[in-house]
Amino acid sequence: MPQAKVKLVVTGDDFGYCERRNQGIVDCFRSGGISNVSLLVNAVSAEHAAELAKRNHIPIGLHANLSEGLPVSQDLKGSTLLNKDGFFHGKMGFREVLQSGQLKMSEVEAELRAQVNRFCELVGHMPYHMDGHQHVHILPEVREVFAQVLSDFGISYTRVPIEPGLKFCTFLPPHLRDFNAQVEKDALESIEVFHRHGIRWPDVYLGLSTMGKNMSVSNLKRALGFTLEATLDDRVTSPLIQSSDATTDSYCPVTAELMVHPGYPSQPHQGGCGEGPDDFSQSADRLHELNTLKDPLVLNYYRQQGIHLCAFKDF
């Protein structure tokens, strides 16, 4: 096999959301479209997902969830993490409560630790990596707690969603561009925190501009082009490959993560994290991503460009 120019982790998020989503993710893995998964341990089909991962030898990490559904911790009754019905506040609701100063970081820490422990119960080992559902792990205050939990459990890798070329993606709708800009701002401000705790991440992140309908063979090639053009000089934000590793007589491929959400669409009233499936999971976009990721044109492009799919455990 020729030398890799890029070691690419293609992570299927939301594993465990429902059995149809799980099966789609597994089919995508078997077809070579993804190389890694991120598990929602509070999702209704988390046990089903964990069994599929074991059976198919799928590298797996934890998709820490503080924004959707029910908590894992049993000690959060009346918690600031939960609304009056006992559910998390939602993608934007979580951010609003955090911004109001009403969120207790001790409760965030308790829930994150409970989710790591639940992951170990389900899977049988520590997560190979840990990121945040809806990017909650990089939010102010939360990132400090998140990094400490990773450090305490010895989880080495996370996700820092700063995507090269994202500001030029004018095809994205304005509300999504605004949300993505805030995600990148939060991610930039997380770098110092993750550095301080010895947390690592790939050199390049992709996925904000290639979700759902925006995923296509041509758009994936556009995004991956930034990875292929990356050099050691571009790796200023990531400690995954230390400078001492990059000597003049040794070649270090660029490392990258592509975040994706393939699957078969959820059926109404089936799946979710305790409140039923959301529109995102029921959308035909999930199947569109699945079909695009396993398209022979994409898989051949990887081979032609020296892009080797791998998992965080391979670093």
Side-chain angles (χ1 to χ4, degrees), residues 4-298:
K5 293 180 186 174
V6 175
K7 288 185 175 180
L8 177 66
V9 180
V10 185
T11 301
D13 279 3
D14 302 338
F15 199 40
Y17 201 84
C18 72
E19 292 195 6
R20 283 175 55 80
R21 188 73 169 273
N22 292 348
Q23 191 57 57
I25 287 173
V26 170
D27 289 350
C28 197
F29 175 80
R30 286 173 171 167
S31 300
I34 62 172
S35 56
N36 189 67
V37 296
S38 206
L39 177 67
L40 285 165
V41 295
N42 74 325
V44 297
S45 296
E47 289 188 34
H48 177 254
E51 287 305 313
L52 287 174
K54 292 173 190 174
R55 197 181 311 156
N56 293 278
H57 307 289
I58 304 175
I60 187 168
L62 174 58
H63 204 41
N65 183 5
L66 301 173
S67 57
E68 182 179 354
L70 293 165
V72 170
S73 174
Q74 300 298 306
D75 303 320
L76 292 179
K77 188 174 182 181
S79 167
T80 60
L81 274 172
L82 309 177
N83 64 22
K84 60 181 175 58
D85 298 315
F87 296 110
F88 290 132
H89 294 290
K91 178 179 176 179
M92 301 313 296
F94 179 86
R95 287 163 165 82
E96 290 164 7
V97 175
L98 175 65
Q99 199 167 20
S100 74
Q102 296 174 9
L103 207 60
K104 290 183 180 178
M105 288 303 115
S106 60
E107 295 171 351
V108 169
E109 180 178 355
E111 178 61 17
L112 289 175
R113 291 184 183 277
Q115 291 192 19
V116 175
N117 289 327
R118 178 59 176 153
F119 179 98
C120 295
E121 291 172 5
L122 289 169
V123 179
H125 61 73
M126 277 288 171
Y128 293 125
H129 62 95
M130 182 168 161
D131 53 49
H133 185 49
Q134 299 169 341
H135 308 293
V136 295
H137 67 300
I138 54 168
L139 291 171
E141 297 184 76
V142 176
R143 53 191 172 229
E144 290 278 358
V145 175
F146 180 84
Q148 186 62 59
V149 169
L150 263 67
S151 179
D152 289 350
F153 279 103
I155 302 167
S156 300
Y157 299 109
T158 192
R159 171 183 293 166
V160 177
I162 302 169
E163 180 171 339
L166 187 64
K167 63 184 177 182
F168 303 116
C169 296
T170 54
F171 55 85
L172 297 174
H175 75 278
L176 194 52
R177 290 167 67 184
D178 290 344
F179 179 77
N180 289 345
Q182 186 60 52
V183 166
E184 287 203 318
K185 179 178 182 294
D186 292 331
L188 279 166
E189 293 171 358
S190 299
I191 288 171
E192 183 276 328
V193 177
F194 293 157
H195 267 302
R196 184 165 19 97
H197 286 84
I199 310 302
R200 307 160 82 186
W201 58 93
D203 301 314
V204 179
Y205 164 85
L206 306 168
L208 292 174
S209 68
T210 54
M211 287 179 62
K213 295 182 180 67
N214 293 313
M215 182 178 285
S216 64
V217 174
S218 60
N219 201 22
L220 282 174
K221 287 182 178 180
R222 176 202 58 78
L224 288 163
F226 289 101
T227 303
L228 291 163
E229 292 165 9
T231 67
L232 285 174
D233 293 335
D234 298 320
R235 301 176 186 186
V236 292
T237 60
S238 172
L240 197 156
I241 295 180
Q242 304 291 346
S243 58
S244 60
D245 296 335
T247 60
T248 54
D249 57 352
S250 67
Y251 174 74
C252 291
V254 173
T255 59
E257 183 189 17
L258 171 62
M259 174 193 77
V260 297
H261 300 84
Y264 301 117
S266 301
Q267 300 285 5
H269 313 299
Q270 294 181 10
C273 300
E275 299 175 276
D278 59 12
D279 292 342
F280 180 80
S281 186
Q282 295 179 76
S283 165
D285 290 354
R286 308 283 65 75
L287 182 58
H288 172 71
E289 286 199 25
L290 170 60
N291 289 334
T292 305
L293 287 164
K294 64 181 188 177
D295 190 314
L297 292 173
V298 172

